[in-house]
């Protein structure tokens, strides 16, 4: 099992460019999450999807959109990147509310 | 709202030293508490957890006890190794909630 996979691993964008971060899990989990990690701030939830077909905002959703494409895949889109979105982005999944949350390896994004 | 506060880092210790990383929390209800570890270049992995007061979570020589009276979940290890060098995150999840709330992380470096 690959667990949670993310692509790309690294990306550099110019201000105003758009891109989509991809995430997939092969554990048949219902819930999926997108976090950003910034120095001194821990991880903050951007969006989550409790089940296929649903998405909800987290703490810091502004500037992002998400798509739960199917049970396996949950993508994060930046429509017009800004330097404040420079961060490391982690995708995670969990089977149910009581289950362990599994994290992907992360995408390091730099916006110039 | 719910929050987690960890001791400021970075923390540098010599091999075989005793480790404590403090974590306190504020939450409504009866949260579950977690410690995650992030090794260089990787995503977060669950290290241990406790789901109710006085529970002790343990794994890989690390321990933490859920102390409701002091709202704390301090991470300890009796003899650290170089391979324990990583960033450690304390987190909580309230019953019925989707999201994890993370502390800011503590970077631990162990010198041989």
């Amino acid at each position: 099992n690959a667990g949670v996979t993310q692509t790309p691993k690294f990306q550099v964008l110019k201000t105003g460019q758009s891109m989509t971060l991809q995430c997939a899990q092969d554990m048949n989990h219902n819930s999926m999450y997108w976090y950003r990690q910034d120095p001194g701030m821990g991880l903050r939830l951007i969006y989550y999807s409790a089940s296929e077909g649903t998405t909800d905002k987290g703490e810091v959703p502004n500037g992002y959109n998400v798509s739960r494409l199917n049970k396996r895949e949950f993508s994060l889109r930046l429509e017009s990147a800004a330097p404040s979105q420079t961060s490391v982005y982690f995708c995670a999944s969990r089977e149910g509310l009581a289950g362990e949350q599994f994290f992907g390896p992360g995408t390091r994004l730099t916006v110039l | 709202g719910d929050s987690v506060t960890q001791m400021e880092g970075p923390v540098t210790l010599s091999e075989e030293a005793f480790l404590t990383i403090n974590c306190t929390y504020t939450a409504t209800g009866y949260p579950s508490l977690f410690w995650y570890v992030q090794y260089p270049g990787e995503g977060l992995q669950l290290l241990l957890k406790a789901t109710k007061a006085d529970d002790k979570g343990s794994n890989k020589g690390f321990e933490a006890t859920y102390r409701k009276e002091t709202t704390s979940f301090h991470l300890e290890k009796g003899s650290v190794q170089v391979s324990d060098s990583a960033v450690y995150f304390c987190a909580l999840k309230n019953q019925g909630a989707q999201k994890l709330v993370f502390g800011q992380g503590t970077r631990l470096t162990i010198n041989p």
Side-chain angles (χ1 to χ4, degrees), chain A residues 33 37 40 42 90 94 97 104, chain B residues 38 43 46 89 93 97-98 103-104:
Chain A
Y33 307 81
Q37 182 183 25
F90 288 100
R94 180 168 62 201
L97 286 176
Chain B
Q38 183 181 28
L46 180 64
F89 292 92
K93 190 180 84 66
Q98 275 285 344
Q104 71 269 40

Side-chain angles (χ1 to χ4, degrees), chain A residues 49-68:
Chain A
S49 170
S51 60
E52 187 178 353
T54 69
T55 60
D56 285 286
K57 295 178 181 180
E59 299 173 70
V60 288
N62 291 345
Y64 305 95
N65 284 301
V66 290
S67 294
R68 183 74 183 267

Side-chain angles (χ1 to χ4, degrees), chain A residues 64-84:
Chain A
Y64 305 95
N65 284 301
V66 290
S67 294
R68 183 74 183 267
L69 304 169
N70 48 54
K71 193 168 187 180
R72 288 188 64 247
E73 298 172 288
F74 188 40
S75 62
L76 178 72
R77 182 160 179 84
L78 288 70
E79 290 291 352
S80 179
S84 60

Side-chain angles (χ1 to χ4, degrees), chain A residues 86-101:
Chain A
T86 294
S87 188
V88 181
Y89 291 86
F90 288 100
C91 178
S93 71
R94 180 168 62 201
E95 179 170 345
L97 286 176
E100 177 184 343
Q101 201 161 120

Side-chain angles (χ1 to χ4, degrees), chain A:
Chain A
N1 283 350
V4 180
T5 57
Q6 293 183 235
T7 55
K9 290 191 186 303
F10 303 94
Q11 183 72 48
V12 178
L13 294 178
K14 294 180 180 178
T15 297
Q17 287 185 314
S18 63
M19 79 161 295
T20 300
L21 281 64
Q22 306 288 353
C23 173
Q25 51 93 8
D26 62 2
M27 296 172 282
N28 203 36
H29 288 170
N30 286 317
S31 303
M32 298 186 73
Y33 307 81
W34 276 106
Y35 293 89
R36 60 178 289 172
Q37 182 183 25
D38 301 295
M41 301 188 73
L43 274 74
R44 292 180 292 168
L45 183 65
I46 305 171
Y47 271 93
Y48 67 95
S49 170
S51 60
E52 187 178 353
T54 69
T55 60
D56 285 286
K57 295 178 181 180
E59 299 173 70
V60 288
N62 291 345
Y64 305 95
N65 284 301
V66 290
S67 294
R68 183 74 183 267
L69 304 169
N70 48 54
K71 193 168 187 180
R72 288 188 64 247
E73 298 172 288
F74 188 40
S75 62
L76 178 72
R77 182 160 179 84
L78 288 70
E79 290 291 352
S80 179
S84 60
Q85 294 177 303
T86 294
S87 188
V88 181
Y89 291 86
F90 288 100
C91 178
S93 71
R94 180 168 62 201
E95 179 170 345
L97 286 176
E100 177 184 343
Q101 201 161 120
F102 291 85
F103 286 81
T107 295
R108 184 174 294 276
L109 175 67
T110 302
V111 183
L112 302 175

